[in-house]
Amino acid sequence: RRSLLEAAETYFLEVGYEAFSMSQLAKNSGLAKGTLYLYFQTREELFLTLYEQSLIRWSQVFIEDLSDSMTSKAYSQKLFNTAVADGTFLPLLIRLEHIIEHNVAIPRIVSSKQVFILQVEAVAEATAISLRLSKAQAIEVVKTMGVLLIGATQGDQGPSLDNEELPEEVQNLIASFSSEPFFIKNAVRIIEGIRTEAVSNV
């Protein structure tokens, strides 16, 4: 199962979500296609498992990269950079609720949500220290950052136009919707808003 998941992730990084084929994965792994379904009932269940692995991996990297008393901007930048650096995490996170979870058995979704809860708690604990927030504030920050990350980076999942010659106005348009500055600016606003809200409620 572990070697199958490794082969699946390698293949996913090569071809992406839409082009991913269970038949081709079976060929790549030297297995009969039917054998894949002994491990994963659907293609989406395989993706859910890859998502969980990438969530845990990203969480560990992000937590290790945090330091005490970070600015909101430094924290936001670190979150964005580590999430983007994991080639599996964001493409699957973006498709999780709208696509992947729609073809997975309910007990499997429940176990996945339990993995998610544990990771949110771990990241929130480290966030509370880094941003000097209460546990409740840190949990709110982490959950909100996830939603913002999905929204900000969805546009990045389209075809790459990096090596294309584009008119200047099109280049400017694409740059204005670049996910990194959009995420950082709004993440800082959210963190500071949560911090201010707590002070005004005292």
Side-chain angles (χ1 to χ4, degrees):
R1 188 171 186 272
R2 190 183 302 120
S3 62
L4 179 57
L5 284 167
E6 286 173 5
E9 185 158 22
T10 300
Y11 176 45
F12 175 74
L13 291 169
E14 288 170 5
V15 302
Y17 186 88
E18 283 72 20
F20 190 100
S21 149
M22 291 294 269
S23 298
Q24 188 59 49
L25 174 61
K27 282 182 192 171
N28 294 354
S29 307
L31 300 170
K33 186 178 176 185
T35 307
L36 296 183
Y37 294 102
L38 297 175
Y39 295 99
F40 305 99
Q41 291 180 8
T42 63
R43 175 180 183 258
E44 288 73 22
E45 186 180 327
L46 169 62
F47 282 131
L48 186 63
T49 305
L50 289 177
Y51 161 74
E52 289 168 353
Q53 286 185 168
S54 68
L55 171 65
I56 293 166
R57 184 173 59 225
W58 166 77
S59 299
Q60 290 170 345
V61 169
F62 179 55
I63 289 168
E64 286 170 13
D65 278 1
L66 293 179
S67 57
D68 294 353
S69 302
M70 293 179 82
T71 64
S72 299
K73 185 173 184 181
Y75 173 92
S76 302
Q77 187 74 60
K78 189 70 69 178
L79 192 154
F80 184 88
N81 290 347
T82 53
V84 168
D86 189 304
T88 305
F89 179 55
L90 275 180
L92 293 181
L93 175 65
I94 287 166
R95 293 170 174 88
L96 185 65
E97 291 186 355
H98 296 294
I99 301 172
I100 295 171
E101 290 181 342
H102 288 272
N103 195 22
V104 177
I106 297 298
R108 184 65 187 84
I109 292 175
V110 169
S111 70
S112 182
K113 296 297 184 191
Q114 289 167 335
V115 169
F116 175 77
I117 290 166
L118 290 174
Q119 295 313 303
V120 167
E121 288 173 353
V123 173
E125 192 175 312
T127 295
I129 295 165
S130 286
L131 295 178
R132 301 169 307 284
L133 299 172
S134 71
K135 184 179 178 183
Q137 289 173 307
I139 287 173
E140 187 178 352
V141 164
V142 172
K143 287 181 177 178
T144 309
M145 291 301 107
V147 174
L148 180 60
L149 193 60
I150 291 168
T153 57
Q154 270 185 321
D156 294 345
Q157 302 306 310
S160 174
L161 300 173
D162 289 344
N163 298 320
E164 301 297 325
E165 285 190 36
L166 302 170
E168 187 177 345
E169 68 272 15
V170 174
Q171 289 176 10
N172 293 338
L173 176 69
I174 292 169
S176 72
F177 283 97
S178 176
S179 60
E180 185 171 353
F182 179 85
F183 176 84
I184 304 299
K185 183 166 55 171
N186 288 288
V188 169
R189 287 173 177 162
I190 289 165
I191 294 166
E192 294 307 319
I194 289 170
R195 193 190 304 281
T196 304
E197 206 174 78
V199 172
S200 64
N201 288 339
V202 172

